[in-house]
Amino acid sequence: MSHGARVIHTGVSSGGPAVPPPVTVASSSAGSDAELMDGGYFRSCAGMLKVAQMISLLIGFISINNSSWTDYSAYSFFQIVSMCDLVMILFFYIMHIFRVYRKLTCVSWPLAEFLHYLVGTILLLIGSIVAAAKSYNITGLVAGATFGFLATILCVISMWSSYKVSCITQSTSKYR
């Protein structure tokens, strides 16, 4: 397959000045270190999973916030957990997009993300269970708890894929 015309330069001149070779820029989905943003992360499975988590957490938060509450402590706990989880997921999303993990190598980013998902998923599951138990069939509260459960499932998937990539891949490549 031809990718365009190639010029072969030799040391022999054919009468004119030597033409420098054309500069080509190789494009890749991961991008180079000189680029500011990683455009491939937007379309990756992990990137889309983080966006789905943030959207479901935001919808759950808005549903709970705009409903009439029956138990202040249960729903305020759900709101705090969902917003903290959303902020942390947004932090890791921005970190991956701008490749901050390449500049700050003193932190084990896969471990930090795994621990965030572990703690955040457990707290989100507790908040969703409590919100569902105290909803008393009020539509907004049931919708908020449902989106909380959806975000919990997405966080479990993300935690599992993070563990699979960071730990299982390292352990299998160690013995080869």
Side-chain angles (χ1 to χ4, degrees), residues 70-125:
T70 55
D71 189 2
Y72 180 76
S73 62
Y75 296 113
S76 62
F77 176 76
F78 180 84
Q79 285 184 319
I80 290 169
V81 167
S82 64
M83 278 297 104
C84 287
D85 226 12
L86 183 118
V87 167
M88 287 304 295
I89 292 169
L90 181 65
F91 170 75
F92 283 114
Y93 186 71
I94 290 172
M95 183 197 64
H96 282 289
I97 288 175
F98 291 108
R99 297 185 184 125
V100 175
Y101 59 91
R102 290 185 183 177
K103 294 174 182 67
L104 296 174
T105 57
C106 60
V107 177
S108 174
W109 290 108
L111 180 62
E113 192 168 1
F114 177 76
L115 290 176
H116 157 257
Y117 277 119
L118 182 68
V119 172
T121 302
I122 291 170
L123 291 175
L124 189 59
L125 179 64

Side-chain angles (χ1 to χ4, degrees), residues 10 15 66 82-83 86 88 100 117 127-128 138 148-149 154 158-159:
T10 62
N66 291 335
S82 64
M83 278 297 104
L86 183 118
M88 287 304 295
V100 175
Y117 277 119
S128 297
I138 298 173
F149 283 122
L154 293 172
S158 191
M159 183 174 53

Side-chain angles (χ1 to χ4, degrees), residues 33-57:
D33 288 336
E35 292 178 8
L36 179 63
M37 293 178 61
D38 185 5
Y41 192 74
F42 291 118
R43 295 176 299 276
S44 72
C45 184
M48 289 189 286
L49 193 59
K50 279 187 182 20
V51 170
Q53 292 166 1
M54 289 187 286
I55 290 172
S56 63
L57 284 169

